[in-house]
Amino acid sequence: MRIWAVANQKGGVGKTTSVVTLGGLLAERGKRVLVVDLDPHGSLTSWFGYDPDTIAHSVFDLFQHQGKVPDGLPAQLITETSCKGLSLLPASTALATLERRMVGVEGMGLIVSRALAQLWDDFDYVLLDNTPSLGVLMVNALAAAQHLIIPVQTEFLAIKGLERMLHTLEMVMRSQKNPLPYLIVPTMFDRRTQASVKSLNLLRKTYPDRLWRFAVPVDTKFRDASQAGVIPSAVDRESHGIRAYRHLLDELLARTESAEVR
């Protein structure tokens, strides 16, 4: 099992779109994929037609056992999606109450790791969609992940949010023995606007060794896919955005395989 977290401390930068698109492309390649919604807003859950306000069982259930994960519970929480080979561990809005509920409970930062350990032989890839705020959910994701993907919208305020995310990553990684490799992914790029072009150039200048060399363009097919409750490549396999994510997936697979060889 390979575990990728998709995170940024700014909302609206393409985290959920990245999870759904990459997960769908992996499933199309015959991989067994699990996408996990760790955001109380439940955008990933809503994408596939489930209501995070009313869903009966969700990721929230994992956090109700004093830092332990009962045998078999993670598998019971998984539901299918409209894409063959792509499964979902949904979120509920109750996740927003975790911080105050879990005060003083030991081991809460490792719940997701323990849950995925039970699913290790069931999936080839797990993609974690994160809340845009630092807390127990993001700590869980960073602790579980083997690789971090940081989508960054190509606009100035999003780049400032990237600085906060990298500071958080550095702070969390101090408590772990091995650093978490990460890749910054420019998103929502519009070559017609000067602001977008300048932002991309700034990213390339500031993070030359950590930045994906391409960018995901603005593409209305992502919105169409979310409205239809399907993976974006099911709407248009050759749209500009899908082609970009296909190139990104190839890059991520190459990086992951290279890291495993070392």
Side-chain angles (χ1 to χ4, degrees):
M1 177 190 285
R2 292 173 174 171
I3 306 170
W4 297 345
V6 180
N8 193 323
Q9 282 182 254
K10 186 179 186 307
V13 298
K15 294 187 297 294
T16 299
T17 298
S18 296
V19 168
V20 174
T21 308
L22 290 171
L25 291 172
L26 282 166
E28 287 181 346
R29 297 186 184 190
K31 304 300 183 182
R32 301 169 300 168
V33 184
L34 174 67
V35 291
V36 181
D37 196 345
L38 295 176
D39 188 348
H41 292 102
S43 296
L44 178 60
T45 300
S46 298
W47 188 302
F48 289 110
Y50 299 97
D51 186 351
D53 289 322
T54 60
I55 196 164
H57 299 288
S58 71
V59 170
F60 183 71
D61 295 34
L62 297 174
F63 291 85
Q64 303 308 301
H65 305 279
Q66 299 300 306
K68 303 184 186 307
V69 179
D71 289 344
L73 178 60
Q76 296 172 20
L77 303 177
I78 293 171
T79 185
E80 295 307 308
T81 72
S82 55
C83 174
K84 181 181 179 181
L86 183 68
S87 301
L88 169 69
L89 209 171
S92 72
T93 52
L95 285 170
T97 68
L98 274 185
E99 299 297 334
R100 69 171 184 268
R101 286 172 177 258
M102 300 297 109
V103 173
V105 180
E106 294 186 3
M108 296 309 295
L110 297 174
I111 295 297
V112 171
S113 297
R114 292 167 181 161
L116 295 181
Q118 293 190 26
L119 303 171
W120 200 263
D121 295 326
D122 299 329
F123 295 97
D124 301 307
Y125 288 86
V126 176
L127 281 73
L128 308 174
D129 190 15
N130 280 272
T131 177
S133 60
L134 175 60
V136 66
L137 291 167
M138 185 175 289
V139 168
N140 265 269
L142 296 180
Q146 300 158 342
H147 199 95
L148 174 63
I149 302 162
I150 309 177
V152 182
Q153 184 181 358
T154 48
E155 59 97 17
F156 179 71
L157 291 179
I159 294 177
K160 298 301 289 184
L162 171 62
E163 295 173 3
R164 291 192 294 273
M165 181 66 218
L166 294 179
H167 176 72
T168 294
L169 178 61
E170 180 182 0
M171 182 175 61
V172 172
M173 287 300 102
R174 286 175 189 161
S175 62
Q176 298 194 13
K177 295 180 180 179
N178 299 318
L180 180 62
Y182 66 90
L183 182 66
I184 301 167
V185 178
T187 60
M188 304 181 192
F189 177 66
D190 188 346
R191 66 176 65 254
R192 300 168 299 179
T193 68
Q194 190 176 47
S196 197
V197 172
K198 284 185 174 180
S199 296
L200 182 57
N201 288 336
L202 179 58
L203 284 169
R204 286 171 171 167
K205 180 179 179 181
T206 310
Y207 306 102
D209 299 327
R210 297 289 191 174
L211 187 73
W212 183 45
R213 62 188 184 276
F214 302 113
V216 178
V218 172
D219 191 337
T220 59
K221 299 301 182 183
F222 297 132
R223 182 182 59 207
D224 295 343
S226 67
Q227 291 175 344
V230 299
I231 59 174
S233 54
V235 174
D236 185 348
R237 291 189 54 80
E238 297 303 326
S239 74
H240 294 303
I242 301 304
R243 289 205 301 266
Y245 272 111
R246 197 172 288 122
H247 288 311
L248 173 60
L249 178 57
D250 290 338
E251 172 85 8
L252 290 167
L253 292 175
R255 285 172 175 256
T256 302
E257 291 168 1
S258 176
E260 291 175 350
V261 169
R262 293 173 191 169

